[in-house]
PDB file of all heavy atoms in Angstrom:
ATOM      1  N   LEU A 957      84.034 -15.373  75.567  1.00 91.00           N
ATOM      2  CA  LEU A 957      83.301 -14.118  75.579  1.00 91.00           C
ATOM      3  C   LEU A 957      82.404 -14.021  74.374  1.00 91.00           C
ATOM      4  O   LEU A 957      81.241 -13.540  74.468  1.00 91.00           O
ATOM      5  CB  LEU A 957      84.234 -12.925  75.600  1.00 91.00           C
ATOM      6  CG  LEU A 957      84.882 -12.608  76.965  1.00 91.00           C
ATOM      7  CD1 LEU A 957      85.935 -11.508  76.823  1.00 91.00           C
ATOM      8  CD2 LEU A 957      83.842 -12.227  77.963  1.00 91.00           C
ATOM      9  N   LEU A 958      82.874 -14.408  73.204  1.00 88.00           N
ATOM     10  CA  LEU A 958      82.046 -14.364  71.974  1.00 88.00           C
ATOM     11  C   LEU A 958      80.836 -15.251  72.091  1.00 88.00           C
ATOM     12  O   LEU A 958      79.728 -14.859  71.678  1.00 88.00           O
ATOM     13  CB  LEU A 958      82.889 -14.755  70.768  1.00 88.00           C
ATOM     14  CG  LEU A 958      82.192 -14.670  69.412  1.00 88.00           C
ATOM     15  CD1 LEU A 958      81.776 -13.227  69.104  1.00 88.00           C
ATOM     16  CD2 LEU A 958      83.192 -15.162  68.325  1.00 88.00           C
ATOM     17  N   LEU A 959      81.024 -16.442  72.634  1.00 89.00           N
ATOM     18  CA  LEU A 959      79.881 -17.334  72.870  1.00 89.00           C
ATOM     19  C   LEU A 959      78.929 -16.837  73.912  1.00 89.00           C
ATOM     20  O   LEU A 959      77.705 -16.917  73.755  1.00 89.00           O
ATOM     21  CB  LEU A 959      80.375 -18.743  73.226  1.00 89.00           C
ATOM     22  CG  LEU A 959      80.954 -19.566  72.071  1.00 89.00           C
ATOM     23  CD1 LEU A 959      81.556 -20.867  72.652  1.00 89.00           C
ATOM     24  CD2 LEU A 959      79.988 -19.791  71.031  1.00 89.00           C
ATOM     25  N   SER A 960      79.417 -16.284  75.005  1.00 91.00           N
ATOM     26  CA  SER A 960      78.544 -15.796  76.051  1.00 91.00           C
ATOM     27  C   SER A 960      77.825 -14.493  75.622  1.00 91.00           C
ATOM     28  O   SER A 960      76.711 -14.204  76.139  1.00 91.00           O
ATOM     29  CB  SER A 960      79.292 -15.608  77.360  1.00 91.00           C
ATOM     30  OG  SER A 960      80.275 -14.632  77.240  1.00 91.00           O
ATOM     31  N   LEU A 961      78.452 -13.679  74.864  1.00 89.00           N
ATOM     32  CA  LEU A 961      77.854 -12.405  74.402  1.00 89.00           C
ATOM     33  C   LEU A 961      77.400 -12.443  72.952  1.00 89.00           C
ATOM     34  O   LEU A 961      77.440 -11.486  72.219  1.00 89.00           O
ATOM     35  CB  LEU A 961      78.827 -11.254  74.601  1.00 89.00           C
ATOM     36  CG  LEU A 961      79.309 -11.051  76.021  1.00 89.00           C
ATOM     37  CD1 LEU A 961      80.424  -9.995  76.039  1.00 89.00           C
ATOM     38  CD2 LEU A 961      78.148 -10.691  76.924  1.00 89.00           C
ATOM     39  N   ARG A 962      77.021 -13.655  72.473  1.00 86.00           N
ATOM     40  CA  ARG A 962      76.730 -13.822  71.025  1.00 86.00           C
ATOM     41  C   ARG A 962      75.566 -12.984  70.561  1.00 86.00           C
ATOM     42  O   ARG A 962      75.526 -12.576  69.425  1.00 86.00           O
ATOM     43  CB  ARG A 962      76.539 -15.298  70.673  1.00 86.00           C
ATOM     44  CG  ARG A 962      75.380 -15.965  71.333  1.00 86.00           C
ATOM     45  CD  ARG A 962      75.354 -17.471  71.018  1.00 86.00           C
ATOM     46  NE  ARG A 962      74.270 -18.057  71.701  1.00 86.00           N
ATOM     47  CZ  ARG A 962      74.353 -18.761  72.808  1.00 86.00           C
ATOM     48  NH1 ARG A 962      75.552 -18.866  73.357  1.00 86.00           N
ATOM     49  NH2 ARG A 962      73.328 -19.358  73.370  1.00 86.00           N
ATOM     50  N   GLY A 963      74.633 -12.704  71.417  1.00 84.00           N
ATOM     51  CA  GLY A 963      73.468 -11.852  71.034  1.00 84.00           C
ATOM     52  C   GLY A 963      73.957 -10.443  70.732  1.00 84.00           C
ATOM     53  O   GLY A 963      73.548  -9.840  69.718  1.00 84.00           O
ATOM     54  N   ARG A 964      74.783  -9.898  71.564  1.00 87.00           N
ATOM     55  CA  ARG A 964      75.361  -8.584  71.299  1.00 87.00           C
ATOM     56  C   ARG A 964      76.265  -8.550  70.120  1.00 87.00           C
ATOM     57  O   ARG A 964      76.245  -7.608  69.342  1.00 87.00           O
ATOM     58  CB  ARG A 964      76.105  -8.051  72.549  1.00 87.00           C
ATOM     59  CG  ARG A 964      75.146  -7.723  73.714  1.00 87.00           C
ATOM     60  CD  ARG A 964      75.945  -7.137  74.835  1.00 87.00           C
ATOM     61  NE  ARG A 964      75.074  -6.897  75.928  1.00 87.00           N
ATOM     62  CZ  ARG A 964      75.188  -5.986  76.791  1.00 87.00           C
ATOM     63  NH1 ARG A 964      76.211  -5.182  76.731  1.00 87.00           N
ATOM     64  NH2 ARG A 964      74.354  -5.837  77.806  1.00 87.00           N
ATOM     65  N   ALA A 965      77.089  -9.601  69.999  1.00 80.00           N
ATOM     66  CA  ALA A 965      78.000  -9.690  68.837  1.00 80.00           C
ATOM     67  C   ALA A 965      77.234  -9.759  67.521  1.00 80.00           C
ATOM     68  O   ALA A 965      77.524  -9.059  66.554  1.00 80.00           O
ATOM     69  CB  ALA A 965      78.930 -10.893  68.943  1.00 80.00           C
ATOM     70  N   LEU A 966      76.135 -10.546  67.502  1.00 83.00           N
ATOM     71  CA  LEU A 966      75.305 -10.620  66.309  1.00 83.00           C
ATOM     72  C   LEU A 966      74.630  -9.309  66.016  1.00 83.00           C
ATOM     73  O   LEU A 966      74.526  -8.934  64.848  1.00 83.00           O
ATOM     74  CB  LEU A 966      74.278 -11.775  66.452  1.00 83.00           C
ATOM     75  CG  LEU A 966      73.491 -12.118  65.226  1.00 83.00           C
ATOM     76  CD1 LEU A 966      74.424 -12.607  64.103  1.00 83.00           C
ATOM     77  CD2 LEU A 966      72.451 -13.119  65.503  1.00 83.00           C
ATOM     78  N   SER A 967      74.142  -8.657  67.043  1.00 85.00           N
ATOM     79  CA  SER A 967      73.508  -7.360  66.835  1.00 85.00           C
ATOM     80  C   SER A 967      74.449  -6.331  66.228  1.00 85.00           C
ATOM     81  O   SER A 967      74.082  -5.625  65.339  1.00 85.00           O
ATOM     82  CB  SER A 967      72.974  -6.857  68.169  1.00 85.00           C
ATOM     83  OG  SER A 967      72.485  -5.551  68.064  1.00 85.00           O
ATOM     84  N   PHE A 968      75.719  -6.329  66.725  1.00 84.00           N
ATOM     85  CA  PHE A 968      76.695  -5.399  66.231  1.00 84.00           C
ATOM     86  C   PHE A 968      77.012  -5.716  64.793  1.00 84.00           C
ATOM     87  O   PHE A 968      77.065  -4.779  63.921  1.00 84.00           O
ATOM     88  CB  PHE A 968      77.987  -5.507  67.083  1.00 84.00           C
ATOM     89  CG  PHE A 968      79.174  -4.758  66.501  1.00 84.00           C
ATOM     90  CD1 PHE A 968      79.221  -3.400  66.598  1.00 84.00           C
ATOM     91  CD2 PHE A 968      80.193  -5.372  65.845  1.00 84.00           C
ATOM     92  CE1 PHE A 968      80.273  -2.671  66.086  1.00 84.00           C
ATOM     93  CE2 PHE A 968      81.254  -4.740  65.305  1.00 84.00           C
ATOM     94  CZ  PHE A 968      81.284  -3.330  65.435  1.00 84.00           C
ATOM     95  N   VAL A 969      77.211  -7.013  64.466  1.00 81.00           N
ATOM     96  CA  VAL A 969      77.533  -7.417  63.087  1.00 81.00           C
ATOM     97  C   VAL A 969      76.386  -7.053  62.148  1.00 81.00           C
ATOM     98  O   VAL A 969      76.600  -6.507  61.034  1.00 81.00           O
ATOM     99  CB  VAL A 969      77.864  -8.865  63.019  1.00 81.00           C
ATOM    100  CG1 VAL A 969      77.959  -9.373  61.603  1.00 81.00           C
ATOM    101  CG2 VAL A 969      79.164  -9.154  63.756  1.00 81.00           C
ATOM    102  N   ARG A 970      75.152  -7.279  62.567  1.00 82.00           N
ATOM    103  CA  ARG A 970      73.995  -6.977  61.735  1.00 82.00           C
ATOM    104  C   ARG A 970      73.891  -5.466  61.519  1.00 82.00           C
ATOM    105  O   ARG A 970      73.561  -5.032  60.364  1.00 82.00           O
ATOM    106  CB  ARG A 970      72.726  -7.449  62.395  1.00 82.00           C
ATOM    107  CG  ARG A 970      72.592  -8.953  62.253  1.00 82.00           C
ATOM    108  CD  ARG A 970      71.271  -9.425  62.799  1.00 82.00           C
ATOM    109  NE  ARG A 970      71.057 -10.847  62.519  1.00 82.00           N
ATOM    110  CZ  ARG A 970      70.003 -11.499  62.729  1.00 82.00           C
ATOM    111  NH1 ARG A 970      68.953 -10.938  63.293  1.00 82.00           N
ATOM    112  NH2 ARG A 970      69.900 -12.757  62.401  1.00 82.00           N
ATOM    113  N   GLN A 971      74.157  -4.604  62.464  1.00 86.00           N
ATOM    114  CA  GLN A 971      74.134  -3.165  62.263  1.00 86.00           C
ATOM    115  C   GLN A 971      75.196  -2.742  61.250  1.00 86.00           C
ATOM    116  O   GLN A 971      74.943  -1.909  60.446  1.00 86.00           O
ATOM    117  CB  GLN A 971      74.346  -2.466  63.591  1.00 86.00           C
ATOM    118  CG  GLN A 971      73.174  -2.542  64.491  1.00 86.00           C
ATOM    119  CD  GLN A 971      73.480  -1.924  65.857  1.00 86.00           C
ATOM    120  OE1 GLN A 971      74.538  -1.420  66.116  1.00 86.00           O
ATOM    121  NE2 GLN A 971      72.533  -1.979  66.754  1.00 86.00           N
ATOM    122  N   ARG A 972      76.419  -3.349  61.340  1.00 86.00           N
ATOM    123  CA  ARG A 972      77.489  -3.041  60.399  1.00 86.00           C
ATOM    124  C   ARG A 972      77.069  -3.454  58.955  1.00 86.00           C
ATOM    125  O   ARG A 972      77.262  -2.721  58.022  1.00 86.00           O
ATOM    126  CB  ARG A 972      78.795  -3.692  60.811  1.00 86.00           C
ATOM    127  CG  ARG A 972      79.313  -3.212  62.103  1.00 86.00           C
ATOM    128  CD  ARG A 972      79.677  -1.764  62.110  1.00 86.00           C
ATOM    129  NE  ARG A 972      80.683  -1.496  61.141  1.00 86.00           N
ATOM    130  CZ  ARG A 972      80.873  -0.293  60.535  1.00 86.00           C
ATOM    131  NH1 ARG A 972      80.139   0.697  60.894  1.00 86.00           N
ATOM    132  NH2 ARG A 972      81.791  -0.165  59.629  1.00 86.00           N
ATOM    133  N   PHE A 973      76.533  -4.663  58.837  1.00 82.00           N
ATOM    134  CA  PHE A 973      76.090  -5.136  57.554  1.00 82.00           C
ATOM    135  C   PHE A 973      75.001  -4.251  56.976  1.00 82.00           C
ATOM    136  O   PHE A 973      75.046  -3.937  55.784  1.00 82.00           O
ATOM    137  CB  PHE A 973      75.572  -6.576  57.647  1.00 82.00           C
ATOM    138  CG  PHE A 973      76.578  -7.633  57.418  1.00 82.00           C
ATOM    139  CD1 PHE A 973      77.605  -7.817  58.365  1.00 82.00           C
ATOM    140  CD2 PHE A 973      76.556  -8.459  56.309  1.00 82.00           C
ATOM    141  CE1 PHE A 973      78.551  -8.802  58.185  1.00 82.00           C
ATOM    142  CE2 PHE A 973      77.487  -9.444  56.145  1.00 82.00           C
ATOM    143  CZ  PHE A 973      78.510  -9.648  57.077  1.00 82.00           C
ATOM    144  N   ALA A 974      74.032  -3.878  57.779  1.00 83.00           N
ATOM    145  CA  ALA A 974      72.931  -3.012  57.337  1.00 83.00           C
ATOM    146  C   ALA A 974      73.487  -1.676  56.814  1.00 83.00           C
ATOM    147  O   ALA A 974      73.012  -1.201  55.750  1.00 83.00           O
ATOM    148  CB  ALA A 974      71.905  -2.817  58.449  1.00 83.00           C
ATOM    149  N   SER A 975      74.397  -1.054  57.524  1.00 86.00           N
ATOM    150  CA  SER A 975      74.943   0.202  57.074  1.00 86.00           C
ATOM    151  C   SER A 975      75.668   0.046  55.770  1.00 86.00           C
ATOM    152  O   SER A 975      75.582   0.900  54.863  1.00 86.00           O
ATOM    153  CB  SER A 975      75.779   0.841  58.154  1.00 86.00           C
ATOM    154  OG  SER A 975      76.974   0.107  58.339  1.00 86.00           O
ATOM    155  N   VAL A 976      76.442  -0.988  55.585  1.00 84.00           N
ATOM    156  CA  VAL A 976      77.191  -1.236  54.347  1.00 84.00           C
ATOM    157  C   VAL A 976      76.206  -1.490  53.176  1.00 84.00           C
ATOM    158  O   VAL A 976      76.367  -0.969  52.107  1.00 84.00           O
ATOM    159  CB  VAL A 976      78.190  -2.386  54.521  1.00 84.00           C
ATOM    160  CG1 VAL A 976      78.768  -2.814  53.151  1.00 84.00           C
ATOM    161  CG2 VAL A 976      79.337  -1.986  55.478  1.00 84.00           C
ATOM    162  N   TYR A 977      75.214  -2.332  53.427  1.00 83.00           N
ATOM    163  CA  TYR A 977      74.223  -2.571  52.374  1.00 83.00           C
ATOM    164  C   TYR A 977      73.440  -1.375  52.000  1.00 83.00           C
ATOM    165  O   TYR A 977      73.139  -1.183  50.805  1.00 83.00           O
ATOM    166  CB  TYR A 977      73.244  -3.679  52.861  1.00 83.00           C
ATOM    167  CG  TYR A 977      73.826  -5.061  52.836  1.00 83.00           C
ATOM    168  CD1 TYR A 977      73.445  -6.007  53.824  1.00 83.00           C
ATOM    169  CD2 TYR A 977      74.824  -5.459  51.984  1.00 83.00           C
ATOM    170  CE1 TYR A 977      73.983  -7.283  53.871  1.00 83.00           C
ATOM    171  CE2 TYR A 977      75.380  -6.738  52.011  1.00 83.00           C
ATOM    172  CZ  TYR A 977      74.966  -7.620  52.933  1.00 83.00           C
ATOM    173  OH  TYR A 977      75.504  -8.906  52.989  1.00 83.00           O
ATOM    174  N   ARG A 978      73.102  -0.502  52.924  1.00 84.00           N
ATOM    175  CA  ARG A 978      72.386   0.718  52.606  1.00 84.00           C
ATOM    176  C   ARG A 978      73.302   1.638  51.730  1.00 84.00           C
ATOM    177  O   ARG A 978      72.786   2.294  50.823  1.00 84.00           O
ATOM    178  CB  ARG A 978      71.938   1.445  53.870  1.00 84.00           C
ATOM    179  CG  ARG A 978      70.699   0.790  54.486  1.00 84.00           C
ATOM    180  CD  ARG A 978      70.111   1.621  55.571  1.00 84.00           C
ATOM    181  NE  ARG A 978      69.120   0.828  56.284  1.00 84.00           N
ATOM    182  CZ  ARG A 978      69.310   0.236  57.442  1.00 84.00           C
ATOM    183  NH1 ARG A 978      70.495   0.282  58.041  1.00 84.00           N
ATOM    184  NH2 ARG A 978      68.371  -0.501  58.016  1.00 84.00           N
ATOM    185  N   GLU A 979      74.581   1.728  52.084  1.00 86.00           N
ATOM    186  CA  GLU A 979      75.469   2.513  51.305  1.00 86.00           C
ATOM    187  C   GLU A 979      75.604   1.966  49.873  1.00 86.00           C
ATOM    188  O   GLU A 979      75.801   2.733  48.905  1.00 86.00           O
ATOM    189  CB  GLU A 979      76.886   2.543  51.968  1.00 86.00           C
ATOM    190  CG  GLU A 979      76.912   3.362  53.204  1.00 86.00           C
ATOM    191  CD  GLU A 979      78.265   3.265  53.883  1.00 86.00           C
ATOM    192  OE1 GLU A 979      79.184   2.597  53.341  1.00 86.00           O
ATOM    193  OE2 GLU A 979      78.397   3.849  54.981  1.00 86.00           O
ATOM    194  N   ASP A 980      75.519   0.675  49.704  1.00 83.00           N
ATOM    195  CA  ASP A 980      75.670   0.047  48.389  1.00 83.00           C
ATOM    196  C   ASP A 980      74.322   0.110  47.613  1.00 83.00           C
ATOM    197  O   ASP A 980      74.272  -0.330  46.477  1.00 83.00           O
ATOM    198  CB  ASP A 980      76.088  -1.401  48.551  1.00 83.00           C
ATOM    199  CG  ASP A 980      77.505  -1.542  48.945  1.00 83.00           C
ATOM    200  OD1 ASP A 980      78.241  -0.518  48.902  1.00 83.00           O
ATOM    201  OD2 ASP A 980      77.928  -2.628  49.401  1.00 83.00           O
ATOM    202  N   GLY A 981      73.287   0.558  48.207  1.00 84.00           N
ATOM    203  CA  GLY A 981      71.990   0.683  47.530  1.00 84.00           C
ATOM    204  C   GLY A 981      71.192  -0.611  47.437  1.00 84.00           C
ATOM    205  O   GLY A 981      70.387  -0.739  46.533  1.00 84.00           O
ATOM    206  N   VAL A 982      71.413  -1.503  48.337  1.00 79.00           N
ATOM    207  CA  VAL A 982      70.657  -2.737  48.314  1.00 79.00           C
ATOM    208  C   VAL A 982      69.256  -2.469  48.888  1.00 79.00           C
ATOM    209  O   VAL A 982      69.082  -1.764  49.912  1.00 79.00           O
ATOM    210  CB  VAL A 982      71.319  -3.842  49.234  1.00 79.00           C
ATOM    211  CG1 VAL A 982      70.496  -5.111  49.299  1.00 79.00           C
ATOM    212  CG2 VAL A 982      72.726  -4.104  48.686  1.00 79.00           C
ATOM    213  N   PRO A 983      68.176  -2.996  48.185  1.00 81.00           N
ATOM    214  CA  PRO A 983      66.820  -2.724  48.695  1.00 81.00           C
ATOM    215  C   PRO A 983      66.606  -3.268  50.114  1.00 81.00           C
ATOM    216  O   PRO A 983      67.191  -4.286  50.470  1.00 81.00           O
ATOM    217  CB  PRO A 983      65.940  -3.440  47.688  1.00 81.00           C
ATOM    218  CG  PRO A 983      66.773  -3.667  46.461  1.00 81.00           C
ATOM    219  CD  PRO A 983      68.213  -3.726  46.963  1.00 81.00           C
ATOM    220  N   GLU A 984      65.729  -2.598  50.856  1.00 75.00           N
ATOM    221  CA  GLU A 984      65.452  -3.029  52.230  1.00 75.00           C
ATOM    222  C   GLU A 984      64.943  -4.458  52.358  1.00 75.00           C
ATOM    223  O   GLU A 984      65.226  -5.168  53.312  1.00 75.00           O
ATOM    224  CB  GLU A 984      64.436  -2.069  52.869  1.00 75.00           C
ATOM    225  CG  GLU A 984      64.974  -0.694  53.164  1.00 75.00           C
ATOM    226  CD  GLU A 984      65.984  -0.636  54.279  1.00 75.00           C
ATOM    227  OE1 GLU A 984      65.889  -1.475  55.221  1.00 75.00           O
ATOM    228  OE2 GLU A 984      66.883   0.200  54.230  1.00 75.00           O
ATOM    229  N   THR A 985      64.223  -4.897  51.312  1.00 77.00           N
ATOM    230  CA  THR A 985      63.668  -6.229  51.358  1.00 77.00           C
ATOM    231  C   THR A 985      64.743  -7.298  51.272  1.00 77.00           C
ATOM    232  O   THR A 985      64.596  -8.439  51.798  1.00 77.00           O
ATOM    233  CB  THR A 985      62.640  -6.457  50.213  1.00 77.00           C
ATOM    234  OG1 THR A 985      63.276  -6.132  49.003  1.00 77.00           O
ATOM    235  CG2 THR A 985      61.433  -5.550  50.423  1.00 77.00           C
ATOM    236  N   GLU A 986      65.853  -7.000  50.659  1.00 79.00           N
ATOM    237  CA  GLU A 986      66.944  -7.973  50.531  1.00 79.00           C
ATOM    238  C   GLU A 986      67.925  -7.941  51.658  1.00 79.00           C
ATOM    239  O   GLU A 986      68.651  -8.941  51.883  1.00 79.00           O
ATOM    240  CB  GLU A 986      67.715  -7.714  49.208  1.00 79.00           C
ATOM    241  CG  GLU A 986      66.916  -8.035  47.977  1.00 79.00           C
ATOM    242  CD  GLU A 986      67.770  -7.815  46.739  1.00 79.00           C
ATOM    243  OE1 GLU A 986      69.005  -7.985  46.791  1.00 79.00           O
ATOM    244  OE2 GLU A 986      67.163  -7.513  45.672  1.00 79.00           O
ATOM    245  N   ILE A 987      67.982  -6.865  52.407  1.00 75.00           N
ATOM    246  CA  ILE A 987      68.967  -6.753  53.438  1.00 75.00           C
ATOM    247  C   ILE A 987      68.799  -7.796  54.544  1.00 75.00           C
ATOM    248  O   ILE A 987      69.758  -8.390  54.969  1.00 75.00           O
ATOM    249  CB  ILE A 987      68.911  -5.292  54.077  1.00 75.00           C
ATOM    250  CG1 ILE A 987      69.452  -4.289  53.052  1.00 75.00           C
ATOM    251  CG2 ILE A 987      69.717  -5.231  55.339  1.00 75.00           C
ATOM    252  CD1 ILE A 987      69.383  -2.822  53.500  1.00 75.00           C
ATOM    253  N   ALA A 988      67.508  -8.034  54.950  1.00 74.00           N
ATOM    254  CA  ALA A 988      67.259  -8.966  56.036  1.00 74.00           C
ATOM    255  C   ALA A 988      67.697 -10.385  55.684  1.00 74.00           C
ATOM    256  O   ALA A 988      68.153 -11.156  56.490  1.00 74.00           O
ATOM    257  CB  ALA A 988      65.777  -8.950  56.402  1.00 74.00           C
ATOM    258  N   GLY A 989      67.567 -10.744  54.361  1.00 78.00           N
ATOM    259  CA  GLY A 989      67.948 -12.072  53.897  1.00 78.00           C
ATOM    260  C   GLY A 989      69.477 -12.302  53.880  1.00 78.00           C
ATOM    261  O   GLY A 989      69.922 -13.427  53.872  1.00 78.00           O
ATOM    262  N   ARG A 990      70.212 -11.238  53.786  1.00 75.00           N
ATOM    263  CA  ARG A 990      71.659 -11.302  53.697  1.00 75.00           C
ATOM    264  C   ARG A 990      72.345 -11.252  55.042  1.00 75.00           C
ATOM    265  O   ARG A 990      73.621 -11.395  55.100  1.00 75.00           O
ATOM    266  CB  ARG A 990      72.210 -10.179  52.813  1.00 75.00           C
ATOM    267  CG  ARG A 990      71.732 -10.253  51.414  1.00 75.00           C
ATOM    268  CD  ARG A 990      72.383  -9.189  50.587  1.00 75.00           C
ATOM    269  NE  ARG A 990      72.009  -9.275  49.222  1.00 75.00           N
ATOM    270  CZ  ARG A 990      72.574  -8.542  48.284  1.00 75.00           C
ATOM    271  NH1 ARG A 990      73.529  -7.714  48.553  1.00 75.00           N
ATOM    272  NH2 ARG A 990      72.130  -8.654  47.018  1.00 75.00           N
ATOM    273  N   PHE A 991      71.659 -11.038  56.118  1.00 75.00           N
ATOM    274  CA  PHE A 991      72.325 -10.940  57.441  1.00 75.00           C
ATOM    275  C   PHE A 991      72.917 -12.272  57.876  1.00 75.00           C
ATOM    276  O   PHE A 991      72.362 -13.313  57.576  1.00 75.00           O
ATOM    277  CB  PHE A 991      71.325 -10.520  58.515  1.00 75.00           C
ATOM    278  CG  PHE A 991      70.979  -9.061  58.504  1.00 75.00           C
ATOM    279  CD1 PHE A 991      69.750  -8.660  58.951  1.00 75.00           C
ATOM    280  CD2 PHE A 991      71.925  -8.091  58.156  1.00 75.00           C
ATOM    281  CE1 PHE A 991      69.435  -7.302  58.957  1.00 75.00           C
ATOM    282  CE2 PHE A 991      71.613  -6.777  58.178  1.00 75.00           C
ATOM    283  CZ  PHE A 991      70.370  -6.359  58.602  1.00 75.00           C
TER     284      PHE A 991
END
């Protein structure tokens, strides 16, 4: 399931990472590089 739905899994993980990075005050330019 993880392999077949990897696009959705990656999207979910990226949203979670983005919210955590925003809470930590990481600049928007660095967030994309850390995904």
Side-chain angles (χ1 to χ4, degrees):
L957 283 174
L958 183 61
L959 286 174
S960 64
L961 301 173
R962 64 184 177 262
R964 288 185 184 209
L966 187 63
S967 173
F968 172 75
V969 169
R970 284 185 174 186
Q971 288 174 1
R972 297 297 300 156
F973 269 69
S975 66
V976 169
Y977 286 147
R978 283 191 191 99
E979 289 174 2
D980 290 344
V982 176
E984 290 289 328
T985 55
E986 291 182 29
I987 290 177
R990 295 185 179 189
F991 281 150

